[in-house]
Amino acid sequence: MEASHYNRGLNVHSAEEKTMASKNGDKRRAILAAALELFAENGFHGAPTSLIAQRAGIGVGTIYRYFKDKDELIHELHQEVHGRVLARICDGYDEGGSVRERFLFLFSRLLRLFLSEPKEFRFLEQYYYSPFAHRDELSSPPKEALMKRLLRLGRDQQLIRAAPMPVLEALAFGPLVALAKEHISGRLVVDDQMITLVVEAAWDGLKR
């Protein structure tokens, strides 16, 4: 009888812990979702934690239960968004293909994602041109550097220009970013043919 009562007590505590963990997870997700929206709309400096808390429907102090400060919030949001992006663009990726085939596959996928997920696109663009990106360079997991490694491989094999990596990245990503901005602004409707044209042009701009 006592053992049965003890086990029931354990089950109650276990259920309470799961409920609490679920609530905590919901709040963290709400903070990240609100931060993504506001960073995309207003930029990092135009989205104070007070505004993020208001959008998430929580008190400002709650943010600091999950994140040490705004910088940590931005960093962890990048980790989540970047992880989702990589998972989507790498689905079906063939490491055995030629550098050109892999470039066309990855960059076409990336451009499609930019077009379909404007919040993620705006956030990642801001992050890339911020001090956060430079800080992450040395500690990035190998998969995060996939596209940079592909560009380096093409350069090492003398398939693309012998230029510094920032130049190669500008040639590779620049056309995609410009087209995505035109599409998101409503000035241009991008179709499959245009995606193929722009990604192939980016590759041609890199070739030796």
Side-chain angles (χ1 to χ4, degrees), residues 35-149:
L36 178 61
E37 290 177 359
L38 288 167
F39 292 149
E41 293 169 12
N42 304 330
F44 293 155
H45 296 299
T49 53
S50 58
L51 197 57
I52 294 171
Q54 183 181 350
R55 180 71 62 92
I58 59 171
V60 178
T62 304
I63 290 179
Y64 298 103
R65 288 172 50 195
Y66 299 92
F67 307 98
K68 181 178 68 176
D69 51 29
K70 186 177 171 182
D71 283 2
E72 184 174 271
L73 169 57
I74 292 171
H75 176 75
E76 292 198 23
L77 178 59
H78 172 259
Q79 293 293 97
E80 293 213 4
V81 172
H82 204 283
R84 292 200 300 266
V85 168
L86 279 172
R88 287 180 59 178
I89 68 174
C90 291
D91 184 29
Y93 177 62
D94 181 10
E95 287 275 6
S98 68
V99 172
R100 179 182 183 276
E101 288 169 343
R102 284 186 274 170
F103 179 91
L104 295 179
F105 178 90
L106 288 174
F107 281 77
S108 294
R109 283 287 187 89
L110 183 63
L111 178 52
R112 290 178 192 280
L113 189 139
F114 282 171
L115 298 173
S116 64
E117 304 291 349
K119 287 185 295 187
E120 282 78 358
F121 165 69
R122 290 192 178 108
F123 171 76
L124 289 173
E125 185 192 16
Q126 287 181 72
Y127 193 93
Y128 180 80
Y129 289 108
S130 75
F132 295 104
H134 178 70
R135 199 182 309 163
D136 288 345
E137 280 290 316
L138 298 178
S139 60
S140 296
K143 195 172 184 182
E144 284 192 275
L146 178 61
M147 290 176 162
K148 290 185 180 181
R149 287 191 291 118

